Amino acid sequence: NPVKDFLQLTLPNENNKIQIFDIQGKLVLQTECGETASIHVSMLPKGVYSIIVNNTASQTFIKQ
């Protein structure tokens, strides 16, 4: 599903490191959060992004 303002996450641990990269591999956002997170992404330009959790799990999302 495309994301407009907030990226909602349910994560495996109480302490999670979140990194978001643009399509060119540039780190555009980094944060730490608990088991659930609502990450504000409205400032990102439209496009495809990769999210990496705890340097292992990777997923892509589309920012509208």
Side-chain angles (χ1 to χ4, degrees):
N1 291 333
V3 175
K4 188 171 184 174
D5 293 321
F6 291 93
L7 180 63
Q8 304 292 331
L9 301 172
T10 302
L11 303 164
N13 304 313
E14 287 185 22
N15 297 313
N16 297 284
K17 179 181 175 185
I18 307 296
Q19 296 173 302
I20 297 178
F21 295 87
D22 65 14
I23 196 80
Q24 289 127 1
K26 180 182 173 188
L27 179 65
V28 294
L29 192 140
Q30 183 171 310
T31 189
E32 293 185 14
C33 59
E35 291 177 341
T36 60
S38 181
I39 300 173
H40 192 248
V41 294
S42 66
M43 74 295 206
L44 297 175
K46 293 179 181 180
V48 178
Y49 294 87
S50 294
I51 182 167
I52 297 178
V53 179
N54 299 326
N55 295 320
T56 58
S58 177
Q59 186 76 23
T60 59
F61 70 93
I62 298 171
K63 165 64 173 66
Q64 285 188 330

